[in-house]
């Protein structure tokens, strides 16, 4: 979390070409069901607001992200939502919500200490009887190295990416996602490299950490692409 990531800073304005909001509709439907009858929802690590663009139809959303550039993207997509800049490990809003939602931004918690800190943030912002939903991309048991690619075109410009995910040291708590972005803007092309270091924990470590910060019931549901959702 200390090293600036180019994707969420200088490249934030390209986010919707990399990850179009409409592609999140089915996935957001899963999270809507898991959040149940919540009325107010706090999203930690909301990024460009793609999930919120679908969830806001059902919940009153407050969106928190560490990157002001990504919040600006989200404000354009979700002007009716409240946006607050803050680190999910330390932010305190002095209010509680019916639900707390943390999508794959939780992946940037690279130690158990950071992971527990983010969980505690969720816990202290949750009203009694509320539900928190955590959606990591990977857990230790199911992690597999792989590659992905994609991108789309917009008005006068386009973006393509290659993602290469691997775990160089199975004995530590991280994996690496290397990205190469090819950006075409009014005929000019440039290539940007960005490396993301992400946390990788076992299911039991997740359960133990959630229990340690105070959650009374921990369940695992299936997310999109067979991801574990806590």
């Amino acid at each position: 979390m200390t090293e600036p990531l180019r994707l969420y800073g200088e490249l934030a304005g390209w986010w919707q070409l990399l990850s179009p909001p409409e592609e999140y509709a089915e996935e957001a439907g899963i999270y809507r069901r898991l959040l149940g009858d919540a009325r107010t929802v706090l999203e930690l690590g909301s990024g460009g607001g793609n999930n919120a663009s679908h969830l806001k139809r059902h919940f009153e959303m407050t969106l928190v992200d560490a990157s002001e550039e990504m919040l600006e993207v989200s404000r354009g997509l979700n002007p009716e939502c409240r946006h607050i800049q803050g680190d999910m490990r330390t932010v305190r809003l002095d209010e509680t919500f019916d639900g707390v939602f943390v999508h794959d931004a939780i992946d940037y918690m690279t130690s158990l200490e950071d992971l527990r800190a983010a969980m505690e943030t969720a816990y202290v912002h949750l009203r009694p009887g509320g539900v928190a939903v955590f959606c990591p991309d990977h857990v230790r048991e199911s992690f597999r190295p792989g590659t992905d690619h994609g991108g789309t075109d917009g008005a006068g410009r386009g973006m393509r990416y290659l993602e290469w995910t691997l775990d160089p040291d199975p004995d530590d708590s991280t994996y690496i996602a290397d990205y190469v972005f090819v950006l075409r803007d009014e005929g000019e092309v440039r290539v940007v490299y960005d490396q993301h270091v992400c946390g990788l924990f076992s299911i039991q470590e997740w359960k133990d950490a959630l229990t340690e910060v105070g959650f009374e019931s921990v369940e695992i549901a299936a997310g999109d692409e067979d991801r574990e959702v806590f």
Side-chain angles (χ1 to χ4, degrees):
M1 295 290 287
T2 57
E3 291 297 324
L5 297 173
R6 303 178 76 177
L7 178 58
Y8 307 135
E10 66 181 89
L11 300 183
W14 295 82
W15 175 252
Q16 291 179 3
L17 295 182
L18 171 75
S19 190
E22 58 269 20
E23 294 182 359
Y24 285 64
E26 182 176 354
E27 180 181 0
I30 297 172
Y31 307 135
R32 176 199 170 190
R33 292 191 293 273
L34 294 176
L35 288 164
D37 60 358
R39 184 182 65 83
T40 59
V41 172
L42 170 66
E43 182 176 359
L44 298 172
S46 55
N50 286 351
N51 276 303
S53 70
H54 302 283
L55 295 175
K56 68 184 179 183
R57 304 169 191 172
H58 310 284
F59 311 111
E60 180 184 323
M61 303 286 297
T62 295
L63 309 181
V64 172
D65 198 85
S67 166
E68 180 58 38
E69 293 89 345
M70 292 297 282
L71 286 172
E72 192 60 29
V73 174
S74 181
R75 289 186 186 102
L77 185 61
N78 305 301
E80 62 273 71
C81 296
R82 180 168 56 150
H83 291 78
I84 300 171
Q85 184 179 20
D87 187 317
M88 70 169 69
R89 297 168 297 183
T90 57
V91 67
R92 295 293 184 268
L93 305 182
D94 296 323
E95 59 184 299
T96 59
F97 300 81
D98 301 325
V100 177
F101 172 56
V102 192
H103 195 232
D104 54 10
I106 196 70
D107 294 343
Y108 295 104
M109 304 298 104
T110 57
S111 69
L112 280 172
E113 180 182 6
D114 281 348
L115 186 64
R116 279 192 293 265
M119 291 173 175
E120 184 175 356
T121 297
Y123 182 80
V124 301
H125 288 95
L126 196 62
R127 66 163 177 78
V131 59
V133 177
F134 297 87
C135 314
D137 275 339
H138 302 284
V139 294
R140 171 67 66 188
E141 290 85 345
S142 59
F143 178 85
R144 299 290 183 275
T147 60
D148 196 7
H149 62 90
T152 56
D153 296 324
R157 62 181 192 161
M159 181 182 202
R160 297 294 184 272
Y161 75 89
L162 171 66
E163 176 189 16
W164 188 2
T165 305
L166 67 160
D167 183 9
D169 183 358
D171 294 325
D172 69 10
S173 63
T174 63
Y175 69 93
I176 291 174
D178 287 310
Y179 291 91
V180 175
F181 304 109
V182 182
L183 312 173
R184 181 183 298 274
D185 192 355
E186 299 295 345
E188 295 187 6
V189 178
R190 64 187 176 108
V191 177
V192 177
Y193 168 71
D194 205 18
Q195 183 176 83
H196 295 217
V197 179
C198 302
L200 187 61
F201 307 99
S202 70
I203 290 174
Q204 192 60 53
E205 286 174 320
W206 267 91
K207 288 181 175 180
D208 289 345
L210 287 164
T211 301
E212 287 167 9
V213 301
F215 289 103
E216 296 179 0
S217 175
V218 179
E219 300 178 8
I220 300 177
D224 69 314
E225 300 178 352
D226 297 322
R227 285 197 304 184
E228 287 81 5
V229 177
F230 295 87

